[in-house]
Amino acid sequence: MDTGAHAPFAKTVEDFLNQARTGDWPAFGGNGALEADAQSFLGQIHEDADPDDLRGVEPADLLALAHEVWSLAKSRKGDSRLVRVRRALGAGGRDLHRDVIEVVGPDTQFLVDSIMSEITAQGSHALALFHPIVKTTAGGKLSVIQVHLEPMSPARARKGSNTACATRSTTSTPPTRIFPP
């Protein structure tokens, strides 16, 4: 996983946003428009997208993955932190042969470091990392993290989700746990 400069995944951010506007992605907006926070989120996803980390993942697949984690973010109540481990499915439900850990909640110091340290401690390897930070209507910052991993067994996915919940910062509401089938 490279965190340096890289060639863009989609030709331009505008191409990526246009694909989001014209696709069936209701959480991003509707009727050919994107909500401002969704546009900020998608711009950051595009910026983080490294073709070397996303082999076998097309821009439409990345939009499908982004839509799922954005839908999770929009379902969040109050200052809760939501954690989910699931199989990565691309456009049309295509299996992308990777899993994702998704963490959505208030932006806090060392959150990404804690998650990545735990992934490493569990013997997993991150294929890609996305970490958009979006301003909330209440004036705070929402951290939306999606880490792409090599496929895990269901037991390991449950352990990873439980560990991610245990290492999270304190919030007023316990995280939601959603496990893969």
Short mmCIF file of all heavy atoms in Angstrom, two decimals, residues 95-120:
data_model
loop_
_atom_site.label_atom_id
_atom_site.label_comp_id
_atom_site.label_asym_id
_atom_site.label_seq_id
_atom_site.Cartn_x
_atom_site.Cartn_y
_atom_site.Cartn_z
N ASP A 95 -17.92 -10.11 -7.04
CA ASP A 95 -16.98 -10.42 -5.97
C ASP A 95 -15.61 -9.88 -6.35
O ASP A 95 -15.06 -10.23 -7.40
CB ASP A 95 -16.93 -11.94 -5.76
CG ASP A 95 -16.09 -12.35 -4.56
OD1 ASP A 95 -15.41 -11.49 -3.96
OD2 ASP A 95 -16.11 -13.54 -4.23
N LEU A 96 -15.05 -9.04 -5.50
CA LEU A 96 -13.75 -8.42 -5.78
C LEU A 96 -12.59 -9.18 -5.14
O LEU A 96 -11.45 -8.72 -5.19
CB LEU A 96 -13.76 -6.97 -5.31
CG LEU A 96 -14.79 -6.08 -6.01
CD1 LEU A 96 -14.79 -4.67 -5.43
CD2 LEU A 96 -14.54 -6.04 -7.51
N HIS A 97 -12.87 -10.32 -4.52
CA HIS A 97 -11.84 -11.19 -3.93
C HIS A 97 -10.99 -10.44 -2.91
O HIS A 97 -9.77 -10.54 -2.90
CB HIS A 97 -10.97 -11.83 -5.03
CG HIS A 97 -11.78 -12.55 -6.05
ND1 HIS A 97 -12.41 -13.74 -5.77
CD2 HIS A 97 -12.10 -12.22 -7.32
CE1 HIS A 97 -13.08 -14.13 -6.85
NE2 HIS A 97 -12.91 -13.23 -7.81
N ARG A 98 -11.69 -9.69 -2.07
CA ARG A 98 -11.08 -8.99 -0.96
C ARG A 98 -12.16 -8.73 0.07
O ARG A 98 -13.34 -8.80 -0.24
CB ARG A 98 -10.38 -7.70 -1.38
CG ARG A 98 -11.24 -6.73 -2.17
CD ARG A 98 -10.53 -5.45 -2.61
NE ARG A 98 -9.44 -5.67 -3.51
CZ ARG A 98 -8.41 -4.85 -3.69
NH1 ARG A 98 -8.35 -3.71 -3.02
NH2 ARG A 98 -7.44 -5.11 -4.52
N ASP A 99 -11.78 -8.45 1.27
CA ASP A 99 -12.71 -8.05 2.32
C ASP A 99 -12.42 -6.60 2.67
O ASP A 99 -11.36 -6.07 2.35
CB ASP A 99 -12.54 -8.93 3.56
CG ASP A 99 -13.07 -10.34 3.36
OD1 ASP A 99 -13.94 -10.54 2.49
OD2 ASP A 99 -12.61 -11.26 4.06
N VAL A 100 -13.37 -5.97 3.34
CA VAL A 100 -13.17 -4.60 3.80
C VAL A 100 -13.57 -4.50 5.27
O VAL A 100 -14.52 -5.15 5.72
CB VAL A 100 -13.95 -3.55 2.97
CG1 VAL A 100 -13.37 -3.44 1.57
CG2 VAL A 100 -15.42 -3.84 2.90
N ILE A 101 -12.81 -3.72 5.98
CA ILE A 101 -13.18 -3.29 7.33
C ILE A 101 -13.58 -1.83 7.19
O ILE A 101 -12.83 -1.03 6.61
CB ILE A 101 -12.02 -3.43 8.32
CG1 ILE A 101 -11.65 -4.89 8.51
CG2 ILE A 101 -12.37 -2.77 9.66
CD1 ILE A 101 -10.45 -5.12 9.41
N GLU A 102 -14.76 -1.50 7.69
CA GLU A 102 -15.27 -0.13 7.59
C GLU A 102 -15.53 0.40 8.99
O GLU A 102 -16.15 -0.28 9.81
CB GLU A 102 -16.55 -0.11 6.76
CG GLU A 102 -16.30 -0.59 5.34
CD GLU A 102 -17.54 -0.88 4.53
OE1 GLU A 102 -18.56 -1.30 5.11
OE2 GLU A 102 -17.47 -0.68 3.31
N VAL A 103 -15.02 1.58 9.25
CA VAL A 103 -15.20 2.24 10.54
C VAL A 103 -15.68 3.66 10.25
O VAL A 103 -15.03 4.40 9.50
CB VAL A 103 -13.89 2.28 11.35
CG1 VAL A 103 -14.11 2.94 12.71
CG2 VAL A 103 -13.31 0.87 11.52
N VAL A 104 -16.81 4.03 10.82
CA VAL A 104 -17.40 5.35 10.60
C VAL A 104 -17.71 5.96 11.96
O VAL A 104 -18.34 5.32 12.81
CB VAL A 104 -18.70 5.24 9.77
CG1 VAL A 104 -19.34 6.60 9.59
CG2 VAL A 104 -18.44 4.58 8.43
N GLY A 105 -17.27 7.18 12.17
CA GLY A 105 -17.58 7.86 13.42
C GLY A 105 -16.82 9.17 13.53
O GLY A 105 -16.18 9.61 12.57
N PRO A 106 -16.91 9.79 14.69
CA PRO A 106 -16.21 11.06 14.88
C PRO A 106 -14.71 10.89 14.62
O PRO A 106 -14.12 9.88 14.97
CB PRO A 106 -16.46 11.39 16.36
CG PRO A 106 -17.65 10.58 16.75
CD PRO A 106 -17.60 9.36 15.90
N ASP A 107 -14.12 11.88 13.98
CA ASP A 107 -12.69 11.84 13.70
C ASP A 107 -11.94 12.05 15.00
O ASP A 107 -12.22 13.00 15.74
CB ASP A 107 -12.31 12.91 12.68
CG ASP A 107 -10.88 12.78 12.22
OD1 ASP A 107 -10.44 11.63 11.96
OD2 ASP A 107 -10.19 13.81 12.10
N THR A 108 -11.03 11.13 15.32
CA THR A 108 -10.24 11.23 16.54
C THR A 108 -8.77 10.96 16.21
O THR A 108 -8.46 10.31 15.22
CB THR A 108 -10.72 10.22 17.60
OG1 THR A 108 -10.65 8.90 17.05
CG2 THR A 108 -12.13 10.51 18.06
N GLN A 109 -7.90 11.44 17.08
CA GLN A 109 -6.47 11.20 16.90
C GLN A 109 -6.17 9.72 16.98
O GLN A 109 -6.77 9.00 17.78
CB GLN A 109 -5.67 11.92 17.97
CG GLN A 109 -5.59 13.41 17.79
CD GLN A 109 -4.65 14.02 18.81
OE1 GLN A 109 -4.68 13.66 19.98
NE2 GLN A 109 -3.81 14.93 18.35
N PHE A 110 -5.26 9.29 16.15
CA PHE A 110 -4.69 7.94 16.18
C PHE A 110 -5.68 6.84 15.82
O PHE A 110 -5.37 5.66 15.99
CB PHE A 110 -4.04 7.64 17.54
CG PHE A 110 -3.07 8.70 17.96
CD1 PHE A 110 -3.33 9.48 19.06
CD2 PHE A 110 -1.91 8.93 17.23
CE1 PHE A 110 -2.44 10.48 19.46
CE2 PHE A 110 -1.02 9.92 17.61
CZ PHE A 110 -1.27 10.70 18.73
N LEU A 111 -6.85 7.18 15.31
CA LEU A 111 -7.83 6.15 14.95
C LEU A 111 -7.30 5.25 13.85
O LEU A 111 -7.32 4.02 13.97
CB LEU A 111 -9.15 6.80 14.53
CG LEU A 111 -10.26 5.84 14.11
CD1 LEU A 111 -10.61 4.88 15.24
CD2 LEU A 111 -11.50 6.63 13.68
N VAL A 112 -6.80 5.83 12.77
CA VAL A 112 -6.27 5.03 11.67
C VAL A 112 -5.06 4.23 12.14
O VAL A 112 -4.94 3.04 11.83
CB VAL A 112 -5.91 5.91 10.46
CG1 VAL A 112 -5.16 5.12 9.40
CG2 VAL A 112 -7.17 6.52 9.86
N ASP A 113 -4.18 4.86 12.91
CA ASP A 113 -3.01 4.14 13.42
C ASP A 113 -3.42 2.93 14.25
O ASP A 113 -2.83 1.85 14.13
CB ASP A 113 -2.14 5.07 14.28
CG ASP A 113 -1.47 6.17 13.47
OD1 ASP A 113 -1.35 6.01 12.24
OD2 ASP A 113 -1.08 7.18 14.07
N SER A 114 -4.43 3.10 15.10
CA SER A 114 -4.91 1.99 15.93
C SER A 114 -5.47 0.86 15.09
O SER A 114 -5.19 -0.32 15.33
CB SER A 114 -5.98 2.47 16.91
OG SER A 114 -5.44 3.41 17.81
N ILE A 115 -6.27 1.21 14.09
CA ILE A 115 -6.87 0.20 13.22
C ILE A 115 -5.78 -0.54 12.44
O ILE A 115 -5.77 -1.78 12.39
CB ILE A 115 -7.90 0.84 12.27
CG1 ILE A 115 -9.10 1.34 13.07
CG2 ILE A 115 -8.35 -0.15 11.19
CD1 ILE A 115 -10.02 2.26 12.29
N MET A 116 -4.86 0.21 11.85
CA MET A 116 -3.81 -0.42 11.05
C MET A 116 -2.88 -1.27 11.91
O MET A 116 -2.43 -2.34 11.49
CB MET A 116 -3.04 0.63 10.27
CG MET A 116 -3.89 1.40 9.26
SD MET A 116 -4.79 0.35 8.10
CE MET A 116 -3.43 -0.23 7.10
N SER A 117 -2.59 -0.82 13.13
CA SER A 117 -1.75 -1.61 14.04
C SER A 117 -2.42 -2.93 14.38
O SER A 117 -1.77 -3.98 14.43
CB SER A 117 -1.46 -0.83 15.32
OG SER A 117 -0.65 0.28 15.04
N GLU A 118 -3.72 -2.88 14.62
CA GLU A 118 -4.44 -4.11 14.96
C GLU A 118 -4.50 -5.06 13.76
O GLU A 118 -4.37 -6.27 13.92
CB GLU A 118 -5.84 -3.79 15.47
CG GLU A 118 -6.55 -4.99 16.05
CD GLU A 118 -5.77 -5.67 17.17
OE1 GLU A 118 -5.20 -4.98 18.03
OE2 GLU A 118 -5.75 -6.92 17.20
N ILE A 119 -4.70 -4.51 12.57
CA ILE A 119 -4.71 -5.35 11.37
C ILE A 119 -3.37 -6.07 11.24
O ILE A 119 -3.32 -7.29 11.00
CB ILE A 119 -5.02 -4.50 10.12
CG1 ILE A 119 -6.51 -4.11 10.13
CG2 ILE A 119 -4.66 -5.24 8.83
CD1 ILE A 119 -6.88 -3.06 9.10
N THR A 120 -2.29 -5.35 11.44
CA THR A 120 -0.95 -5.94 11.36
C THR A 120 -0.75 -6.97 12.47
O THR A 120 -0.23 -8.06 12.22
CB THR A 120 0.14 -4.83 11.45
OG1 THR A 120 -0.06 -3.93 10.36
CG2 THR A 120 1.53 -5.42 11.38
#
